[in-house]
């Protein structure tokens, strides 16, 4: 009572409280009892239903065994338990349950439960299977209690292990009967023991889980070779044909799969049986006439096949695996039909089955691994087995007889068939016929079949000798499709006919020649190949030899070029009607689609339909290249010659051979490409090579020159004759910022993007000469001491960014360091387009300077102070910027040495989003002005100064100081002094310490994270300095000497915890009040922080900073010891693995500009971005 009071009426013990408590307790007990009552009632209802179903099946149903009257041997309800005691009353049996020495002998029968979870042991506590009568019980076996391991029942495990070992000693294969009812851990243990003795044990399993996913759990855990599948499970011929397609082989015309290919989901390998040992007799369910055609359908499947003894003899009843004691009939070639104890070739369908098994074995051994199933009509199934090397086929036409023709009216009108190619022979024709041999009488000693039926069969005859069909004629479907029309004359229910078919002679020859030319790519094409005495000259040389003359710029045309680039050339990417355009005009556009189609053999894809319907795509590939001239024309002619064969083979084969040609050409192009790159790429991993392809993807020579002209005095500059002016013009490679948005026209080349990407995509890959030309071309456009943001071929340049010049200087430093004799670039002539700030654009060669002079000018102009207003300021160059934003400032703080500049109305670093929404009132306001001293610019400046000081010491740079005019006086500031000032002040001014009284901290009230580095110093809005962003890691890579190792490592760990995403770095701390990780440039609402993509750099995860973050981690980990370094390398590889997966799956074969939060796809991002690829490649280079 006390417990009840505490539960229901705490703190009460008055008489009223006790009465309330009793009422509460009564109600709760009634609720609990009610729940139990309903549960037991539900169990009873289920038990009643199950008993009713079992009794109906066993005693009433036509397809059931129709047991004799209820007897002790055949009780009305199957016994679920057995025990070695005499029969007694229920009350006496229940008493035994309370006697441990006797209750331990009560045994539960085994069986299976329809629809149950096969991973659950239905006999363990928690299961209600027995009380609900859900078990389909086997009264000849009991459920063994194995426990969780051998220690739970040592004798049983040892006994069954010994039994298993004896079995595999004598048999090369075993069948796991009722595998789904065997505890998985037990089966694993026993099979491990079995494979110790016989490693190549063939394991076939009967598995009814109702789910292919669950099937695969058993298959992978147990190493099952094949799962039992049964034709008898089909309710009609259509379903039977579907099973052949499901379990047998690849589709006809399937693609040749590469040796290294992506894993794709697949179903478990099947052993396809016409009937299994414990299922109903087919003659009872269908008809005796169906046995032969159903066997033929099974034998045409491209998988293991099997049968059960008695099926071929036409046994008209099920053989009980428990109670059957008769012997099988003996083999006697001279046996009489009426003899029940003997069988021979004339018995039942044995002769037909022998022929079908021989055909099945031949098809398997000769590589007929492609399958096509055609439902001719409701009863007729045609199955084609095709050999992909010889292109021979065997077509079996089977007329099933699920219903007995004696009682069911089958139509006499059988549709004719058109069989592609040339019929070489009739492999076999057979049908089930009656004979005079008496009626079936069940023999008492032998398991005998129906003597009154046999098979009428002919093998290997000519079409003209067939009694089943006749040839109606040979017709042509287009120029490459020859078919023979077949008319059926005696394809009666129960009949089978199989044809051997080859391509027509001309098609066979063309396929053979095509395969001969494909051997250079894959030796597998040697089978079925033929030489052509009239081979075109272009095909007499290996493709490698032709492609070896191509430049990497040519490879850009061959492999890539997005739609905007193609349109600049007057074309466009191929558009598949009813689907969509390809990503690239080059081979990668086609191969990216094929990479999705090929592993799944998705021959119904619109891409494959387009190839089968016409030659448009085929001609696009060759004509596009021929029109470009030079070596590309030769490659185009090679394609044209190969396609000349392709166009004249049967259309159903075109997708697979088109793929073979393209894959061969593509892999050859990649081999040639990598041979022209650095040893780092040539010897690198597949990931390194994939990233290096980004160099080919982004670096191109367009129809119109994207770079301003170089000095005529410069050597090794590529030239061509302009299609438009017919004059000689430079054709230097330019670097696109990203595809597809920044790929062509004025928006292709950007100073900042070019020089962030140049080290990774050009220097690391070994494209030194092209990198030199880009560096010098941008040098020629310097104005106000700045490098353009938007290049616009120089004449349309905008000088509105503060960081591009510092990235340019970093690239020159990297060039000098990484390229053999790299410092020679300092002596290269630069053709100045703007020798003074106000000069109009000059032609190349008018004013030349050496590069080191241009470098010095950039440094001197910054120390002097840069301040100007953009030319043509106003909406004509930027419709969103406010007037104040066109005022450009870049200077050096004389006390700290920090470069600073900008104002709150412009954005001079890479975080350059300008507000565009009038509705949200953010138009003309930069989201991230980053004015003051941006941390990465300070780092880049320090890197440049350190390098120039060292160059001067080596005698490679003539200047040791910059001259400035201040207050009418000329002053000199040495590079060493400037370098020293930054070194002395950086840690003091940028590090946010843990000391709340840090004397260097101007705004302690704005600190919300300690142990980090500020994003800027001296911003007009001071709180912006304290925002956690990933930019400090850039400074760590280019100027690691600025950082204290311990402080740097702590800051990097904070960034890892707060900013690191799956592919990129969050551009703002998620704890920041204006953080938003989803970028939507089309959204225009009242939200100031979001409208029109205002949050571009306020949370979305950009990829290129992750490269600098990881490189900084590697750099500082080396200083902290081997253990830290090893852990860091593990982190780096783990992060980069996601980039590898993304690139492998990307149809653009690139890395995006950015993602939304947590790596989610952003539709407004460039699909592949130059600096994203470069930054990740640089990480691998550092490793």
């Amino acid at each position: 009572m006390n417990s009840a009071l505490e539960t229901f009426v705490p703190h009460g013990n008055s008489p009223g409280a006790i009465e309330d408590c009793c009422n509460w307790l009564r109600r709760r007990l009634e609720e609990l009892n009610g729940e139990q009552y309903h549960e037991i009632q539900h169990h009873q209802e289920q038990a009643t239903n199950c008993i009713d179903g079992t009794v109906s099946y066993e005693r009433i149903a036509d397809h059931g065994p129709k047991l004799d009257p209820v007897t002790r041997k055949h009780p009305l309800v199957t016994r679920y338990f057995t025990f070695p005691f005499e029969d007694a009353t229920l009350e006496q049996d229940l008493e035994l349950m309370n006697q441990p020495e006797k209750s331990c002998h009560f045994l539960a029968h085994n069986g299976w439960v329809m629809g149950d979870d096969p991973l659950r042991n239905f006999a363990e506590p928690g299961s209600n299977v027995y009380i609900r009568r859900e078990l389909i019980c086997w009264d000849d076996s009991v459920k063994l209690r194995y426990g969780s391991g051998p220690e739970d029942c040592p004798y049983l495990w040892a006994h069954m292990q010994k039994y298993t070992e004896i079995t595999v000693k004598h048999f090369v294969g075993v069948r796991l009967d009722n595998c789904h009812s065997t505890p998985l851990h037990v089966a694993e243990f026993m099979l491990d023991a079995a494979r110790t003795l016989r490693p190549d044990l063939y394991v076939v399993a009967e598995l009814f889980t109702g789910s292919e996913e669950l099937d695969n759990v058993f298959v992978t855990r147990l190493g099952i070779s094949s799962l039992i599948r049964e034709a008898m499970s089909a309710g009609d011929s259509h379903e039977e044909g579907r099973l052949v397609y499901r379990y047998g082989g690849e589709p006809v015309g399937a693609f040749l799969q590469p040796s290294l290919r992506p894993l794709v989901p697949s179903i478990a390998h099947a052993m396809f049986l016409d009937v299994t040992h414990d299922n109903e007799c087919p003659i009872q369910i269908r008809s005796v006439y169906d046995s032969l055609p159903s066997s033929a359908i099974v034998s045409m499947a491209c998988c293991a096949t099997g049968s059960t003894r008695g099926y071929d003899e036409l046994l008209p009843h099920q053989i009980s695996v428990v109670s059957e004691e008769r012997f099988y009939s003996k083999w006697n070639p001279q046996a009489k039909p009426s003899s029940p104890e003997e069988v021979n070739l004339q018995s039942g369908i044995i002769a037909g089955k022998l022929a079908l098994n021989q055909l099945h074995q031949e098809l398997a051994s000769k590589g007929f691994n492609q399958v096509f199933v055609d439902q001719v009509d409701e009863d007729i199934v045609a199955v084609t087995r095709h050999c992909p090397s010889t292109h021979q086929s065997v077509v079996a036409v089977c007329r099933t007889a699920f219903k007995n023709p004696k009682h069911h009216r089958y139509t006499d009108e059988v549709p004719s068939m058109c069989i592609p190619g040339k019929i070489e022979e009739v492999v076999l024709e057979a049908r089930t016929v009656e004979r005079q041999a008496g009626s079936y009488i069940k023999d008492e000693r032998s398991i005998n079949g129906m003597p009154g039926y046999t098979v009428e069969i002919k093998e290997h005859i000519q079409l003209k000798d067939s009694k089943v069909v006749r040839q109606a004629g040979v017709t042509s479907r287009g120029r490459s499709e020859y078919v023979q029309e077949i008319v059926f004359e005696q394809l009666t229910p129960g009949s089978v006919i199989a044809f051997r078919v080859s391509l027509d002679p001309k098609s066979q020859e063309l396929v053979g020649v095509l395969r001969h030319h494909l051997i250079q790519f894959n030796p597998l094409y040697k089978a079925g190949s033929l030489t052509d005495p009239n081979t075109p000259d272009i095909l007499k040389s290996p493709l490698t030899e032709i492609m070896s003359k191509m430049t990497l710029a040519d490879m850009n045309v061959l492999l890539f070029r997005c739609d905007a680039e193609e349109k600049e050339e007057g074309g466009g990417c191929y558009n598949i009607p009813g689907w969509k355009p390809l990503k690239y005009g080059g081979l990668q556009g086609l191969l990216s689609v094929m990479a999705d189609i090929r592993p799944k053999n998705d021959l119904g894809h619109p891409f494959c339909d387009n190839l089968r319907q016409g030659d448009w795509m085929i001609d696009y590939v060759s004509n596009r290249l021929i029109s470009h001239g030079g070596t590309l024309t030769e490659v185009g002619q090679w394609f044209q010659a190969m396609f000349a064969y392709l166009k004249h083979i049967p259309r159903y084969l075109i997708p697979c051979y088109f793929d073979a040609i393209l894959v061969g050409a593509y892999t050859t192009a990649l081999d040639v490409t990598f041979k022209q790159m650095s040893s780092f790429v040539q010897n690198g991993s597949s990931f390194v090579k994939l990233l290096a392809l980004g160099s080919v993807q982004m670096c191109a020579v367009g129809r119109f020159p994207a770079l301003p002209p170089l000095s005529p005095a410069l050597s090794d500059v590529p030239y061509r004759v302009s299609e438009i002016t017919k004059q000689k013009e430079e054709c230097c490679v330019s670097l696109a910022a990203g595809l597809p948005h920044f790929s062509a026209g004025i928006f292709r080349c950007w100073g900042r993007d070019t020089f962030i990407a140049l080290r990774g995509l050009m220097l690391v890959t070994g494209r030194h000469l092209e990198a030199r030309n880009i560096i010098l071309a941008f040098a020629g456009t310097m104005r106000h001491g700045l490098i353009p943001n938007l290049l616009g071929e120089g004449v349309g340049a905008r000088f509105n960014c503060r960081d591009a010049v510092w990235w340019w200087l970093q690239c020159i430093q990297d060039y000098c360091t990484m390229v053999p004799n790299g410092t020679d670039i300092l002596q290269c002539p630069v053709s100045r387009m703007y020798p003074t700030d106000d000069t109009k654009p000059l032609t190349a060669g008018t004013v030349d300077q050496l590069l080191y002079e241009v470098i010095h000018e950039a440094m001197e102009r910054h120390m002097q102070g840069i301040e100007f207003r953009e030319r043509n300021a106003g909406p004509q160059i930027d419709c969103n910027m406010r007037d104040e934003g066109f005022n450009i400032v870049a200077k050096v703080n004389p006390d700290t040495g920090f470069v600073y500049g900008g104002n709150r109305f412009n954005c001079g670093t890479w975080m350059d989003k300008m507000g565009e929404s009038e509705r949200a009132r953010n138009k003309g306001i930069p989201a991230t002005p980053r004015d003051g001293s941006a941390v990465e610019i300070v780092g880049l400046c320090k890197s440049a100064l350190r390098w120039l000081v060292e160059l001067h010491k080596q005698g490679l740079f003539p200047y040791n100081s910059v001259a400035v005019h201040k207050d009418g006086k000329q002053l000199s500031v040495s590079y060493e002094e400037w370098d020293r000032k930054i070194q002395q002040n950086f840690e003091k001014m940028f590090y946010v310490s843990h000391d709340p009284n840090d004397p260097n901290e101007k705004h302690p009230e704005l600190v919300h994270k300690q142990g980090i580095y500020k994003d800027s110093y001296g911003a007009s809005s001071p709180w912006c300095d304290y925002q956690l962003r990933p930019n400090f890691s850039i400074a760590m890579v280019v100027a690691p000497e600025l950082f204290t190792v311990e402080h740097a490592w702590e800051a990097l760990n904070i960034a890892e915890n707060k900013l690191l995403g799956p592919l990129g770095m969050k551009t703002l701390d998620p704890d920041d009040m204006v953080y938003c990780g989803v970028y939507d440039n089309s959204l225009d609402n009242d939200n100031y922080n979001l409208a029109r993509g205002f949050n571009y750099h306020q949370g979305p995860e950009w990829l290129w900073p992750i490269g600098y973050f990881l490189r900084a981690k590697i750099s500082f980990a080396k200083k902290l010891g081997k253990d830290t370094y090893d852990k860091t390398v593990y982190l780096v590889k783990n992060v980069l693995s996601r980039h590898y997966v993304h690139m492998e799956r990307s149809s653009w074969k690139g890395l995006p500009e950015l993602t939304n939060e947590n790596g989610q796809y952003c539709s407004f991002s460039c699909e592949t971005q130059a600096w994203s690829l470069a930054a990740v490649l640089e990480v691998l280079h550092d490793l």
Side-chain angles (χ1 to χ4, degrees), residues 360-368 385:
H360 179 80
Q361 186 176 21
E362 178 198 338
L363 296 176
S365 64
K366 292 185 177 177
F368 285 69
R385 287 283 294 275

Side-chain angles (χ1 to χ4, degrees), residues 568-758:
E568 193 173 74
E569 298 282 347
C573 290
Y574 189 81
N575 186 16
I576 297 172
W579 196 53
K580 58 186 176 182
L582 302 181
K583 305 299 185 193
Y584 295 111
L587 299 185
Q588 186 63 64
L590 301 151
L591 267 296
S592 288
V593 181
M594 297 306 299
D596 286 334
I597 295 171
R598 190 186 308 111
K600 298 178 283 192
N601 276 315
D602 185 8
L603 292 166
H605 192 281
F607 185 96
C608 298
D609 282 342
N610 188 262
L611 283 168
R612 285 189 293 265
Q613 288 165 10
D615 298 334
W616 313 289
M617 194 189 305
I618 294 169
D619 290 335
Y620 172 86
V621 173
S622 55
N623 294 345
R624 173 181 173 273
L625 296 173
I626 289 170
S627 68
H628 272 277
T631 309
L632 284 167
T633 293
E634 289 186 58
V635 176
Q637 289 167 344
W638 182 89
F639 275 114
Q640 194 174 54
M642 291 290 281
F643 293 156
Y645 299 118
L646 182 72
K647 290 177 182 180
H648 292 87
I649 67 175
R651 300 306 295 189
Y652 72 89
L653 293 175
I654 283 181
C656 67
Y657 280 105
F658 180 75
D659 180 58
I661 294 168
L662 260 61
V663 167
Y666 179 77
T667 52
T668 301
L670 295 193
D671 291 341
V672 172
T673 295
F674 298 135
K675 283 178 183 175
Q676 296 185 44
M677 291 187 172
S678 63
S679 59
F680 168 70
V681 175
Q682 291 180 33
N683 302 323
S685 65
S686 55
F687 188 24
V688 167
K689 289 182 167 69
L690 202 54
L691 289 162
L693 264 187
S695 173
V696 180
Q697 185 186 96
M698 296 294 174
C699 298
V701 178
R703 187 181 184 192
F704 307 105
L707 300 178
L710 297 166
S711 168
L714 186 67
S715 59
D716 299 322
V717 177
Y719 287 91
R720 69 183 177 192
V721 176
S722 169
E723 294 178 16
I724 301 164
T725 65
K726 306 302 179 186
Q727 301 294 312
K728 181 181 174 184
E729 67 179 11
E730 291 178 9
C731 54
C732 293
V733 158
S734 66
L735 209 161
L739 310 181
H741 306 316
F742 305 112
S743 58
I746 193 172
F747 294 109
R748 176 177 173 83
C749 293
W750 300 73
R752 175 191 301 125
D753 297 70
T754 294
F755 294 110
I756 291 175
L758 188 133

Side-chain angles (χ1 to χ4, degrees), residues 868-885:
F868 66 94
R869 184 169 173 80
E870 279 198 82
R871 284 161 184 77
N872 301 315
Q876 60 271 24
I877 64 169
D878 194 325
C879 63
N880 293 309
M881 188 175 283
R882 294 191 182 185
D883 186 70
E884 302 95 321

Side-chain angles (χ1 to χ4, degrees), residues 918-1060:
E918 292 182 351
R919 180 177 172 183
R921 299 183 182 86
N922 65 27
K923 185 170 183 177
I925 306 293
T928 44
R930 301 188 71 229
D931 57 340
S933 298
V935 65
E936 77 275 16
I937 295 181
V938 174
L940 289 162
C941 176
K942 176 66 172 66
S943 175
L945 289 164
R946 181 193 66 231
W947 171 59
L948 293 176
V949 168
E950 187 61 33
L951 283 181
H952 180 72
K953 289 178 181 177
Q954 296 173 15
L956 297 171
F957 188 72
Y959 303 103
N960 66 354
S961 62
V962 291
V964 294
H965 296 273
K966 297 285 184 183
D967 302 323
K969 297 178 183 178
Q970 182 168 321
L971 303 174
S972 177
V973 180
S974 73
Y975 283 129
E976 284 190 341
E977 181 187 351
W978 188 357
D979 179 72
R980 189 165 51 250
K981 280 187 178 180
I982 298 176
Q983 184 68 48
Q984 290 169 348
N985 288 287
F986 182 85
E987 187 82 9
K988 288 192 294 184
M989 303 304 184
F990 274 91
Y991 181 65
V992 182
S993 74
H994 293 276
D995 180 4
N997 300 313
D998 184 350
N1000 296 310
E1001 191 54 74
K1002 286 186 178 180
H1003 300 283
E1005 74 282 1
L1006 296 177
V1007 173
H1008 60 95
K1009 271 193 174 57
Q1010 297 171 323
I1012 66 169
Y1013 285 88
K1014 297 170 187 170
D1015 188 56
S1016 56
Y1017 176 78
S1020 57
S1021 298
W1023 56 270
C1024 292
D1025 289 344
Y1026 296 87
Q1027 290 182 307
L1028 175 62
R1029 299 185 186 272
N1031 298 306
F1032 70 89
S1033 62
I1034 300 166
M1036 286 183 173
V1037 171
V1038 297
E1041 68 274 13
L1042 290 174
F1043 297 83
T1044 304
V1045 173
E1046 292 74 18
H1047 290 172
W1049 193 249
E1050 182 187 14
L1052 286 167
N1053 285 336
I1054 292 171
E1056 181 181 333
N1057 292 328
K1058 288 292 180 182
L1059 304 182
L1060 181 62

Side-chain angles (χ1 to χ4, degrees), residues 37 53 151 230 286 337 395 399 604 625 672 714 858 869 888 993 1011 1143 1174:
Y37 173 79
E151 63 280 0
E230 188 184 16
R286 297 181 183 176
V395 182
R399 190 170 191 190
L625 296 173
V672 172
L714 186 67
R869 184 169 173 80
I888 307 299
S993 74
M1143 286 197 75

Side-chain angles (χ1 to χ4, degrees), residues 195-212:
R195 290 188 174 107
T196 302
L197 296 178
R198 192 181 289 278
D200 58 348
L201 181 70
Y202 190 89
V203 180
V204 59
E206 177 194 41
L207 194 59
F208 301 119
T209 67
S211 158
E212 287 184 355

Side-chain angles (χ1 to χ4, degrees), residues 525-581:
Y525 288 108
K526 197 165 186 178
S529 65
L530 296 169
T531 56
D532 181 6
N534 302 312
T535 299
D537 291 341
I538 194 70
L539 296 182
K540 290 179 180 177
S541 303
L543 183 59
T544 308
E545 192 176 305
I546 301 170
M547 285 189 173
S548 63
K549 297 179 283 184
M550 294 174 67
T551 64
L552 293 179
D554 290 332
M555 287 297 180
N556 168 265
V557 178
L558 175 65
L559 297 175
F560 297 105
R561 291 284 179 100
C562 70
D563 196 54
E565 293 173 284
E566 288 290 299
K567 284 177 177 172
E568 193 173 74
E569 298 282 347
C573 290
Y574 189 81
N575 186 16
I576 297 172
W579 196 53
K580 58 186 176 182

